[in-house]
């Protein structure tokens, strides 16, 4: 069956460190992968998109990698800040469906 | 643009009642999506429209759920009759174009539905 798996346990890190979140998928052939941030009581907010033929994408303190062989994406936040504390969701869309399917999300807590 | 607008923000209703959730997508976006979020199941895609036409409703849980998009600026999700297990946060999202959406999907703030 098709699955998108993110760490269900919360990730706790110290301010200033790099946070790394993992997204693994099975039985998908995604055309591209997206990462979203969700704060309590709010809708998801788009952060980054990476295509299947791209290995890495950066935006300010954010970096996403995409390994279609391992079927994995890593999401990095460098120099993390308490304001980065939120739930981070990865989502896949296959080229022939037009459907964006989400993982369960990983909650990040950055301590001052 | 004010973003994707959903109403109401909160809805409490009794089991068996009809519930209608509303969504106004971003002007110019031609695809609209309805999602449901619960702690147990996360964000689930219910149905999506492209150019006001329903493309895939395979995520709609059962016949009690229906969705319409009468024009490019308005969509509804209706539950009739509602049941306690329908309690969740319902999100509407929109995007422009096809292929990789460089700007991602834009989500509304959601409607928190409680069926008692």
């Amino acid at each position: 069956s098709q699955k998108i798996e993110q760490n269900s346990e919360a990730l706790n890190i110290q301010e200033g460190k790099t946070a790394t979140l993992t997204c693994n998928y099975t039985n998908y052939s995604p055309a591209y992968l997206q990462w979203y941030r969700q704060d309590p009581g709010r809708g998801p907010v788009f952060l980054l998109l990476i295509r299947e033929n791209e290995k890495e994408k950066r935006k300010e303190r954010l970096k996403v990698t995409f390994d279609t062989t391992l079927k994995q994406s890593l999401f990095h936040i460098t120099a993390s800040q308490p304001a980065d504390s939120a739930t981070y969701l990865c989502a896949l869309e296959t080229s022939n469906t037009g459907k964006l399917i989400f993982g369960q999300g990983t909650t990040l807590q950055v301590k001052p | 643009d004010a973003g994707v607008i959903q109403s109401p923000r909160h809805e409490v209703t009794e089991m068996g009642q009809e519930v209608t959730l509303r969504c106004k997508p971003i002007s110019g976006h031609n695809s609209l999506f309805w999602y449901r979020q619960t702690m147990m199941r996360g964000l689930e895609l219910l149905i999506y429209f492209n150019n006001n036409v329903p493309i895939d409703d395979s995520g709609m849980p059962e016949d009690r759920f229906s969705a319409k998009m009468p024009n490019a600026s308005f969509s509804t999700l209706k539950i009739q009759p509602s049941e306690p297990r329908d309690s969740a946060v319902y999100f509407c999202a929109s995007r422009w174009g096809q292929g990789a959406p460089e700007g991602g999907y834009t989500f509304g703030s959601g409607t928190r539905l409680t069926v008692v």
Side-chain angles (χ1 to χ4, degrees), chain A residues 78-92:
Chain A
T78 58
S80 59
Q81 305 165 0
D84 295 327
S85 299
T87 296
Y88 291 86
L89 301 155
C90 77
L92 304 178

Side-chain angles (χ1 to χ4, degrees), chain B residues 85-107:
Chain B
R85 60 192 167 120
D86 301 329
S87 297
V89 181
Y90 291 80
F91 287 103
C92 175
S94 69
R95 59 161 282 185
W96 177 86
Q98 294 182 331
E102 294 300 337
Y105 290 40
T106 303
F107 281 76

Side-chain angles (χ1 to χ4, degrees), chain B residues 8 26 36-37 48 50-51 114:
Chain B
I26 288 178
R36 176 172 69 175
Q37 188 173 38
Y48 78 95
N50 197 33
N51 294 320
T114 303

Side-chain angles (χ1 to χ4, degrees), chain A residues 6 8 38 41-44 87 89 102-107, chain B residues 21 34-46 59 61 64-65 77 79 83-91 107 110-115:
Chain A
Q6 297 185 251
S8 57
Q38 187 173 24
R42 313 289 288 268
T87 296
L89 301 155
F102 283 83
Q104 290 270 56
T106 298
T107 298
Chain B
L21 311 181
W34 282 100
Y35 286 86
R36 176 172 69 175
Q37 188 173 38
T38 61
M39 287 292 292
M40 288 297 295
R41 300 172 69 91
L43 260 174
E44 301 175 277
L45 178 63
L46 301 177
R64 298 184 296 106
F65 286 68
L77 178 67
I79 308 172
E83 296 182 3
R85 60 192 167 120
D86 301 329
S87 297
V89 181
Y90 291 80
F91 287 103
F107 281 76
T111 294
R112 181 174 293 277
L113 173 65
T114 303
V115 183

